[in-house]
Each structure stands twice: as C-alpha cells, then as structure tokens.
Amino acid sequence: MTEEYLLTGARPLGGDPSDIWLRDGRISQISPAGQLSAPDAELIDAKGLVALPGLVDLHAHLREPGREDAETVATGTAAAALGGFTAVHAMANTDPVADTAGVVEQVYRLGQAAGYCDVRPVGAVTEGLAGEHLAELGAMADSSAAVRVFSDDGHCVSNSLLMRRALEYVKAFDGVIAQHAQDPDLTVAAQMNEGKMSAQLGLQGWPAVAEEAIIARDVLLADHVGSRLHVCHVSTAGSVDLIRRAKERGIQVTAEVTPHHLLLTDELVAGYDPVFKVNPPLRTEADVMALREGLADGTIDVVATDHAPHTGEDKDCEWAVAAFGMVGLPTALSVVLATMVETELLNWQGVAERMSVVPAQIGRVNDQGRPLAEGEPANLVLFDPEARWTVDPGIFPGASRNSPFKEMELPGRIVSTFYRGTSTVRGGELQW
Amino acid sequence: MIEHLLSTADLSRDDAVLILDTAGEMENLTDRSVKKLPALRGRTVVNLFFEDSTRTRISFEAAAKRLSADVINFSAKGSSVSKGESLKDTALTLQAMGADAVVIRHGASGAPMRLASAGWIDGAVVNAGDGTHEHPTQALLDAYTIRRHLCGGSGDLAGLRVTIVGDVLHSRVARSNAWLLHTLGAQVTLVAPPTLVPVGVDSWPVTVSYDLDTVLPETDAVMMLRVQAERMNADFFPSTREYSRRYGLDAQRAALLPQRSIIMHPGPMVRGMEISDDIADSDRAVILEQVSNGVSVRMAVLYLLVGGSREGAGETS
Ligand SMILES: [Zn+2]
C-alpha cells in the first residue's frame, strides 16, 4: 500500500488546526497547520473538520453467513466505513451460528477480503445460542480470528450457572462475556416497552425489570468470580443505576448504549411502523435522559450500534410479525453529535473515548482506538460537525433500509475515513 | 369527520355523537320500510378477515348491503402471526380491485393502522378488531345501546357511570370503550384482577378497582368482558372457579346494581364464568340488542366514511 496523504487544517479531537501526514499505514507526523510539507503526499483539505480516531463498534450484525439477502460482511463493513468506523465486532447470531473456530475464521477472512475495516467476530457463548452448553470458547479464542468477546446476543444467557461458568472460563484468555440482558420468562411474546404506550396500543409489554433483573444478577456473578462482564445495549434508567452502583463497588463491568436508545422513545410506536421495532425496545423520555447522563459520566462506557439490517419483507408488514432491529452504522456519529455533543454532555475527547478508545480496550482490539499521534496506525475519521443531512436509507450500501432515522435531519457528516492508511471514504463517498 | 376508523381515541365528541345520531337514522329508515338505502350504490366494501369472527363479519356485511354497496368477503386464513400471504400483498390486491372501504379484522394490534398509513391502499379503513388493541365499532354500538336505554337516545353520555369488568389487559373492547365513553362524558371504572390490568393504565381516563361488589351499586351500565380460553391456564388467576367467584356476574351480585342499570356483554359469552345463565337471559341484559344495534352503527360508520365526502363524484359513473 503506497497511499500517502497530507490532511491539512484538521482539528484533532476538535482542537487546534493541524496537518496530519499519513504514510505507510501510520500517522507519520502531526504539526500545527501550515508547517508540514510532504511533497509526495496527496493533499486533502480538512479545514474545519474534526479528526477522531477510527470508530470501533462492539456490536453489529453483519448477517453473513446465512442472511446475505439482508447484509453481507462486505456491505456491512462498507456501511461501517461510511459511518467512520475502522473496526466492527460481528455478532454471532448468524446461520450457522458463530460458535466454532471455523465460522469465526470465515467471518474474519470475509472482513479482510472486503478491506473496509477490521472485522472482529464475536463468538457465541453457548452452542447454537441455545443456552444449554458452552460453545468451544477456547478454540475460537485461539483461532486466527482471536475472539475475545463472546455473546449469545439476540438471546440472554439466562441460566445462572451457565453464565457463571462462561464468565469464569473466558478469564483464561482475557475474554469478556457480553450479555444481552433479557429475562426470557418476563418477555414471552414481548413487542415493545411495557408502560403507558403498550397499554394504549395493545402490544405485549417488555418490562424494564426484565433487563434490570439480569444485570443485577450478572454483576453479582462477575463480582463473585472476579470476571469481566459487558452489558449490551443498556436501555433503562434502572439499568444505568445498577451499573453505576456496581462500578462503585469495584466490579469489572462495562456497558454500551445504542444511538437509537439515546434519541428515540416508545412514543414512536404509536403508528405501528415496524422500523421502530427493536430489542431491547425503545423506552421512555426519562430512560433516554438517564442513558445520556450515564454515558456522559462514564457509567456507560461506550456507544455501540447494534446495527441490525433486515429485508423489506421482514419490516414491511404488521408489527407483530416484523423482525426486531435497526440499521445503525452510517448514522451513529451523527446521533451522538445530536444527543451528546450539541447538548454539551460530551466533548470530542469524550466521543473518541466512548466510540473508539474504550470499545477497542473492551474488545482487546490491537491497533485501534489509539491516540492521534505520530507512529500510531492511520485509523482515523474526518467529520464535519457543521453539516446537516437528511437520512436517506436508500443510499446505504447494503440491501436493508430499516433505519429509524429515515427522513430525519441529523447534524454532522463523515467526510473521510482512513483505515490503516487507506482511504475508504472520501467526500462522504465509498472509495470502491 | 375522520378519514379512517382505527381507534375511538381519534373521535371527537361531535364525531362520536354524529355517528350515534346517524346510526339512529339508519335504524329508523330500515325499520320503517326500505330495507335498502342507495347511499353506497356503486361502492365496493371489502371485509378483510384474518381472524374468524362470523358475528362481526355478518354484521358489517349486512350493514354494507343495506347501503347498497358491493360487498367482497375476503378471508385470509391462518393465524395472523404466521406468515401466509402478507398484509401488504393482500392490500395491493384490494387496491387493484378498487375497494372504497376495507373493513379489517386482524390478530395483530395495529394492522389496520398499517393498512391505512403504509401507502398500500387509497380506500377508507375500518378497524373491525385488531389484536389486543381496539374494536371501535363495538364501542360505538355499546355507546349507542347505553344512550338508547339511559339517555333517551340522543346527545352524549355525560354523567353516566359505566363499569367494565374482566380481562382489560387483552381486551380491544375495553380499550375502545374506555376512550369513547370518556369522550362522551361517561365515568368509566375498570374492574379486574390486578394481573389483567395493564401496566400504564394510570394514563387512561378511567378509575380502576379490584373489587366488583363495591363498584356495582354505583353503576348505570355494567359491561362484562369475555375471558379467552388461552388466558385461563396462563396463571393470570388461579382457576376459572375463583375468577367467577370474584369477578363473575351472578344473580346475587346483579342485585347490587341500581334499579335501572343495564347489563352488557360484547359476546360471545362464557356462561357460568363471566356471567351466569339467569343474568344473561334476564330483562336487564341488553346483549341481543347490542347485536342488532351493531348493524345500524356499522351502517352509520360506512355511510359517513365512504358515502359522505365522495358523494356525487361516484354517482355519475
Ligand atoms: Zn441484543
């Protein structure tokens, strides 16, 4: 790779204008604007753009193998690049399930072949996501995919003993269990947040307590066995409170929130449009505010997209039969700008930590989430915080259009993404 | 008037009273002489039933036919939550047939709203019962029946006390009645075991009680809801016998009602559980009248949604 770029006038983490020289896949030099000369580099005018380390997503569904009609590793990672990501974790609920070294290596290689970003496969905790027997966690860890994050996402590891064993077992290779916290008994046939809106709409409720009860149990288990626990897509104010208290007690728990849970509420279900159907469900305004506060004060460590593409057939139907999930990679940073930065809850440093540095640490991803400094890998994104755009899912790379932000005006636009020194996105467009 | 009838929450007081008044006119006209009115001649009304409900379908069919509409019965078989022909494809078919109104019964809450708002069809959509959401024409016929007996057949229901008893959580009849009766000025009390009252009910314009005996003496109309078989073994209550003892309406309980109060049931009844045989057949029960009023109310709804605004345009063709 001989690409060489000089980004002029960029603002690293929103700071003073600087020139950033990318060469040989690394950041070769950073200097105050106007002081660098790199005669062989292609000049890219980055005046006014915020430079952030390439974003790292801990939670995406790339659907391959099995549902290539909804998304492939290639289209999903293209969507990631468009959203400013240089690494994504691919969830295990594929078909076949990513519960063996063979499947995680396949997904890993598909990511390499696509070349848009690092793909870090997540391994299933239990065979077939069935919640009965541990999958071969060690084999997945030792494979070329070097799995460190394990999750039955889409399903909760609800059996307490199995969860305890999983938490303990992955300590041998520094793994982490990422729990989809949902008590299955409390959420049979659940369709939306249980509360005022479900009562009115006649849809089966998904109560906050079904999430909170599992989180409460899991932090106690993690404490007991001294393991790392990661909580996927925290959605309720009560969950934020539980995690805050667990952290105060020194328990090794981390947590993520999705962009949609930072912005949208269950009031949107009133039209029964399944584009708003997601698991865990959209909650109330009070929950949204608590999630923002939790993300701001570090109770919630990271933003993760839970990018979940679905075909038109699975969404263009009545609510009850529609699939759960929302496309989220291309819109994530804009939503965080709208909900966290423009509200002055986070600065760009804070955004970089929550969308790049910390997710890379939780996932044990080398060469990602690194500082914007000389010698570091050239994974970075240039973002125009002044731009505004109207979301048109029709332009997203994959086959799926299920963005809850469709037709919404969002602030901020990804201008360029660089992945290991290669320009994957320029002028807001994919480079191949 | 509204464009579709999806929820009684969309009806203003004046809309609701207009529907009831129109139903009264329909009843008079069809009683008098003409069994058929020409109001919807040349219009097509489709009864799209994804759930079996012979009673409701026949009522809508009779209503449409008495207005001279062409009626197509389209029963999409199979359970709503299994994927057969999709709602979208069915809707596109109906659009191609030129349906002026689609009366839809569906097992999934919100299916009528999807039909009305997803851009699949142009016609008016009438919700004939969707999942555990709403059943607006049932509530309208209930209001019509109450008004006839307790308000001299005109105006609204201001000041009346209506008690709805039973499985409120899963009842589309309860939801539609709660909004409509409130809009019409009635005081609504819901009585149910706490397991069958939805979380979030505190945002409804109703009072909730768990004790039927204390509520009945303050009740002008009591509406007993059906308890569906699938709830009976799902631990919402310990046994049907216990349910019946605490929430069923038998002669002893009915005696707690004030003299002029009426007893209602949307049917089909589970006799001996929600309501005892003698009470269901007693003079105070208006259950059969609810059925006949259903046709007049559905005529009014179809007339106002399909007949009114587009009259003239269609008549010449
Ligand atoms: Zn999940």
Side-chain angles (χ1 to χ4, degrees):
Chain A
M1 206 69 68
T2 55
E3 292 179 56
E4 188 176 333
Y5 301 100
L6 184 62
L7 321 180
T8 58
R11 297 161 49 212
L13 305 184
D16 294 334
S18 306
D19 295 341
I20 307 173
W21 184 11
L22 310 181
R23 192 173 57 155
D24 297 331
R26 305 225 153 237
I27 297 173
S28 173
Q29 235 179 308
I30 299 188
S31 304
Q35 295 185 8
L36 257 183
S37 87
D40 296 330
E42 186 180 336
L43 284 179
I44 292 181
D45 180 7
K47 191 161 179 288
L49 305 182
V50 172
L52 299 173
L55 308 181
V56 177
D57 192 6
L58 263 180
H59 190 149
H61 297 271
L62 301 185
R63 300 292 184 224
E64 190 176 4
R67 285 307 301 267
E68 290 82 355
D69 56 333
E71 188 83 283
T72 63
V73 172
T75 61
T77 52
L82 270 183
F85 291 86
T86 53
V88 294
H89 287 74
M91 273 298 170
N93 62 338
T94 48
D95 182 15
V97 171
D99 59 359
T100 62
V103 177
V104 293
E105 287 188 343
Q106 181 197 354
V107 172
Y108 179 66
R109 279 196 300 268
L110 286 166
Q112 284 183 310
Y116 286 113
C117 63
D118 287 351
V119 172
R120 298 298 312 264
V122 173
V125 177
T126 68
E127 286 174 7
L129 308 175
E132 289 165 6
H133 302 288
L134 289 183
E136 287 193 346
L137 307 177
M140 291 188 274
D142 294 341
S143 75
S144 63
V147 175
R148 291 296 177 272
V149 180
F150 297 89
S151 181
D152 274 2
D153 184 59
H155 302 267
C156 181
V157 181
S158 63
N159 179 305
S160 303
L161 181 59
L162 201 56
M163 185 61 182
R164 173 205 165 136
R165 297 269 197 258
L167 285 165
E168 285 181 297
Y169 192 79
V170 299
K171 283 201 283 188
F173 33 85
D174 198 23
V176 63
I177 304 296
Q179 176 72 293
H180 170 117
Q182 175 181 4
D183 184 310
D185 293 322
L186 285 172
T187 51
V188 173
Q191 296 291 321
M192 69 169 298
N193 180 46
E194 182 167 69
K196 175 186 145 202
M197 292 306 293
S198 65
Q200 180 187 321
L201 296 172
L203 290 171
Q204 181 85 30
W206 196 133
V209 62
E211 175 173 306
E212 293 155 8
I214 295 293
I215 293 174
R217 179 201 71 176
D218 285 355
V219 294
L220 295 174
L221 284 173
D223 190 23
H224 182 62
V225 299
S227 294
R228 282 206 291 151
L229 167 71
H230 178 72
V231 185
C232 296
H233 42 54
V234 168
S235 70
T236 78
S239 298
V240 175
D241 194 43
L242 283 163
I243 293 164
R244 189 176 284 130
R245 284 191 277 160
K247 286 187 166 181
E248 283 164 9
R249 287 177 53 182
I251 298 171
Q252 296 180 76
V253 57
T254 55
E256 71 190 32
V257 62
T258 70
H260 48 270
H261 287 112
L262 288 172
L263 184 60
L264 309 176
T265 70
D266 64 351
E267 304 270 337
L268 290 164
V269 182
Y272 295 96
D273 183 343
V275 80
F276 299 112
K277 182 170 176 177
V278 66
N279 191 15
L282 300 178
R283 304 285 187 186
T284 67
E285 187 71 21
D287 294 305
V288 166
M289 291 306 150
L291 291 168
R292 291 182 186 182
E293 195 185 312
L295 184 62
D297 71 17
T299 299
I300 297 175
D301 303 80
V302 306
V303 175
T305 65
D306 196 6
H307 177 79
H310 288 292
T311 60
E313 304 88 88
D314 287 337
K315 281 293 193 182
D316 209 3
C317 53
E318 49 275 39
W319 182 278
V321 300
F324 290 97
M326 300 170 164
V327 163
L329 283 164
T331 45
L333 189 54
S334 284
V335 174
V336 170
L337 171 60
T339 56
M340 301 300 296
V341 181
E342 292 191 341
T343 54
E344 298 185 347
L345 289 164
L346 280 184
N347 57 23
W348 290 111
Q349 171 82 41
V351 171
E353 281 165 8
R354 283 154 185 79
M355 296 188 77
S356 177
V357 178
V358 181
Q361 286 168 356
I362 293 169
R364 304 294 194 246
V365 189
N366 298 325
D367 285 355
Q368 296 278 356
R370 302 293 306 163
L372 294 176
E374 291 172 9
E376 295 289 350
N379 295 316
L380 64 117
V381 54
L382 297 176
F383 185 69
D384 179 1
E386 305 302 327
R388 301 191 80 83
W389 60 302
T390 301
V391 179
D392 171 14
I395 64 166
F396 295 168
S400 299
R401 301 287 172 257
N402 53 306
S403 169
F405 309 111
K406 69 175 175 188
E407 291 163 28
M408 207 180 271
E409 192 185 82
L410 291 178
R413 192 174 72 103
I414 306 288
V415 178
S416 296
T417 308
F418 297 90
Y419 167 54
R420 297 184 187 275
T422 297
S423 166
T424 56
V425 172
R426 195 167 338 168
E429 307 270 348
L430 288 169
Q431 289 305 283
W432 66 88
Chain B
M1 262 300 279
I2 51 172
E3 201 182 333
H4 308 283
L5 181 60
L6 306 175
S7 162
T8 55
D10 299 335
L11 294 172
S12 66
R13 178 201 169 277
D14 289 351
D15 284 344
V17 170
L18 174 64
I19 294 172
L20 301 186
D21 289 348
T22 308
E25 289 168 30
M26 294 294 169
E27 188 180 356
N28 291 338
L29 285 170
T30 47
D31 270 2
R32 237 191 300 149
S33 50
V34 271
K35 278 282 172 212
K36 265 192 163 185
L37 307 171
L40 299 189
R41 182 167 295 143
R43 303 291 169 80
T44 301
V45 174
V46 176
N47 285 321
L48 177 58
F49 276 57
F50 287 83
E51 270 186 352
D52 277 332
S53 174
T54 313
R55 303 156 55 94
T56 305
R57 185 181 56 72
I58 286 176
S59 181
F60 269 106
E61 189 174 348
K65 284 186 169 163
R66 284 185 199 174
L67 292 168
S68 306
D70 298 323
V71 179
I72 298 173
N73 286 317
F74 197 115
S75 77
K77 262 300 190 178
S79 117
S80 60
V81 188
S82 75
K83 284 202 176 176
E85 183 177 13
S86 76
L87 180 62
K88 180 180 176 181
D89 288 330
T90 308
L92 295 173
T93 305
L94 301 182
Q95 174 70 2
M97 288 177 179
D100 295 290
V102 178
V103 175
I104 175 175
R105 160 69 65 104
H106 201 291
S109 298
M113 183 174 282
R114 285 294 283 158
L115 196 60
S117 61
W120 301 327
I121 59 165
D122 297 328
V125 175
V126 179
N127 181 359
D130 62 328
T132 53
H133 178 224
E134 290 214 33
H135 193 354
T137 57
Q138 176 70 44
L140 285 161
L141 74 87
D142 289 337
Y144 184 82
T145 307
I146 295 170
R147 190 175 82 155
R148 143 94 64 83
H149 280 271
L150 302 174
C151 304
S154 67
D156 60 18
L157 307 180
L160 280 186
R161 301 161 301 177
V162 182
T163 298
I164 302 174
V165 186
D167 183 0
V168 174
L169 178 62
H170 302 99
S171 174
R172 48 198 177 204
V173 176
R175 280 176 183 73
S176 283
N177 264 302
W179 319 140
L180 179 67
L181 295 172
H182 170 73
T183 298
L184 288 169
Q187 298 167 30
V188 180
T189 302
L190 305 177
V191 181
T195 45
L196 290 174
V197 176
V199 166
V201 77
D202 42 327
S203 66
W204 295 12
V206 301
T207 307
V208 175
S209 169
Y210 307 132
D211 183 3
L212 185 52
D213 289 343
T214 61
V215 175
L216 286 177
E218 314 279 304
T219 294
D220 299 308
V222 59
M223 200 178 288
M224 306 304 294
L225 299 174
R226 180 155 69 117
V227 178
Q228 300 209 339
E230 70 234 55
R231 315 293 173 214
M232 293 184 193
N233 294 312
D235 284 301
F236 287 102
F237 42 83
S239 68
T240 53
R241 188 189 311 186
E242 176 158 324
Y243 179 89
S244 184
R245 223 182 285 132
R246 295 176 70 89
Y247 298 99
L249 191 64
D250 58 12
Q252 201 182 342
R253 260 205 184 108
L256 297 171
L257 286 164
Q259 202 60 49
R260 63 168 203 154
S261 303
I262 58 171
I263 295 168
M264 310 173 73
H265 195 298
M269 291 179 277
V270 184
R271 287 176 184 249
M273 183 174 173
E274 303 129 21
I275 190 161
S276 69
D277 221 40
D278 49 341
I279 292 304
D281 296 331
S282 71
D283 288 348
R284 321 177 73 177
V286 295
I287 297 164
L288 284 176
E289 194 194 315
Q290 287 174 269
V291 177
S292 58
N293 290 341
V295 177
S296 305
V297 163
R298 288 169 179 131
M299 286 175 77
V301 167
L302 290 173
Y303 173 75
L304 290 168
L305 289 184
V306 186
S309 61
R310 300 206 290 186
E311 211 156 53
E315 288 298 313
T316 52
S317 63

